[in-house]
């Protein structure tokens, strides 16, 4: 259940099951620290997993007036308060609500992330009770889940079944490389994966 409470600065802080979705006393300072921790933004489109109280979205929008921001969340009750608390962001922030991974992958945002090479980031302080679901969202949008790897590499005719035996929810190039090597993939494409594997040693 989502509730809201004013802090000493008269800012609304959202709570989920009693857990605040932002720092109660210093939400803007927390948001600025997170924003600067991202470093240079490598894309004109940033996708943020978790809306929470929205202060991190405000800080991100202030950092660069030209970036397009999409927020992915599962709690639509957060939206009205975010829109009323940050009305200046109405035209700059798109919010996508997905109840599960299947909804997310069917949404236009998934194809858009792939096409535009959007920068996908997470603000875990906004995740609350949605830690498992949002971890799945992050894995899919960053191409590190089994389903996402299948989506991205479907043209390579790889034997994807072996990926399902991986013990991790977030795959790396190290997990994918043996699958590539064991598949009927052109040698020059295998070489690309080998080079990527060398880079992340």
């Amino acid at each position: 259940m989502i509730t809201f409470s004013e802090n000493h600065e008269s800012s609304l802080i959202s709570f989920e099951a009693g857990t605040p979705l932002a720092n109660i006393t210093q939400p803007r300072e927390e948001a600025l620290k997170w924003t600067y921790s991202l470093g240079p933004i490598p894309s004109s489109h940033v996708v943020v997993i978790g809306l929470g109280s929205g202060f991190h979205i405000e800080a991100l929008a202030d950092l660069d007036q030209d970036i397009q921001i999409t927020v992915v969340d599962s709690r639509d009750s957060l939206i009205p308060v975010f829109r009323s608390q940050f009305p200046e962001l109405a035209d700059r922030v798109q919010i996508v609500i997905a109840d599960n991974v299947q909804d997310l992958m069917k949404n236009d945002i998934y194809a858009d992330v792939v096409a535009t090479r959007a920068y996908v980031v997470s603000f875990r302080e906004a995740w609350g009770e949605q830690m498992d679901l949002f971890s799945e969202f992050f894995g899919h949008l960053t191409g590190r889940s089994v389903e996402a790897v299948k989506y991205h590499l479907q043209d390579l005719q790889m034997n994807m079944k072996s990926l399902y035996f991986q013990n991790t929810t977030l795959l790396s190039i190290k997990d994918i490389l043996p699958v590539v090597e064991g598949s009927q993939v052109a040698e020059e494409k295998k070489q690309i994966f080998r080079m990527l594997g060398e880079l992340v040693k």
Side-chain angles (χ1 to χ4, degrees), residues 20-56:
L21 303 182
N23 186 290
I24 298 172
T25 57
Q26 297 181 314
R28 286 186 168 83
E29 289 81 353
E30 175 188 57
L32 278 173
K33 186 181 291 187
W34 171 78
T35 301
Y36 287 120
S37 75
L38 298 176
I41 304 295
S43 172
S44 60
H45 184 195
V46 179
V47 177
V48 183
I49 310 298
L51 177 60
S53 299
F55 296 95
H56 60 300

Side-chain angles (χ1 to χ4, degrees), residues 131-169:
M131 195 67 68
D132 291 341
L133 177 61
F134 287 4
S135 292
E136 288 187 46
F137 285 175
F138 186 79
H140 278 66
L141 287 169
T142 56
R144 296 179 62 193
S145 69
V146 172
E147 290 79 7
V149 170
K150 286 174 65 178
Y151 181 91
H152 289 285
L153 304 181
Q154 57 189 334
D155 294 335
L156 294 185
Q157 300 176 336
M158 288 168 48
N159 176 16
M160 305 300 292
K161 290 181 181 177
S162 57
L163 281 178
Y164 285 98
F165 295 105
Q166 300 294 335
N167 293 321
T168 177
T169 55

Side-chain angles (χ1 to χ4, degrees), residues 1-5 13-18 21 77-78:
M1 179 180 175
I2 300 294
T3 57
F4 302 90
S5 180
I13 305 296
S14 53
F15 290 76
E16 184 175 26
L21 303 182
S77 56
L78 294 169

Side-chain angles (χ1 to χ4, degrees), residues 37-74:
S37 75
L38 298 176
I41 304 295
S43 172
S44 60
H45 184 195
V46 179
V47 177
V48 183
I49 310 298
L51 177 60
S53 299
F55 296 95
H56 60 300
I57 305 301
E58 176 194 41
L60 184 60
D62 286 345
L63 182 69
D64 186 338
Q65 296 296 319
D66 296 322
I67 60 171
Q68 171 193 352
I69 301 172
T70 301
V71 181
V72 176
D73 208 293
S74 62

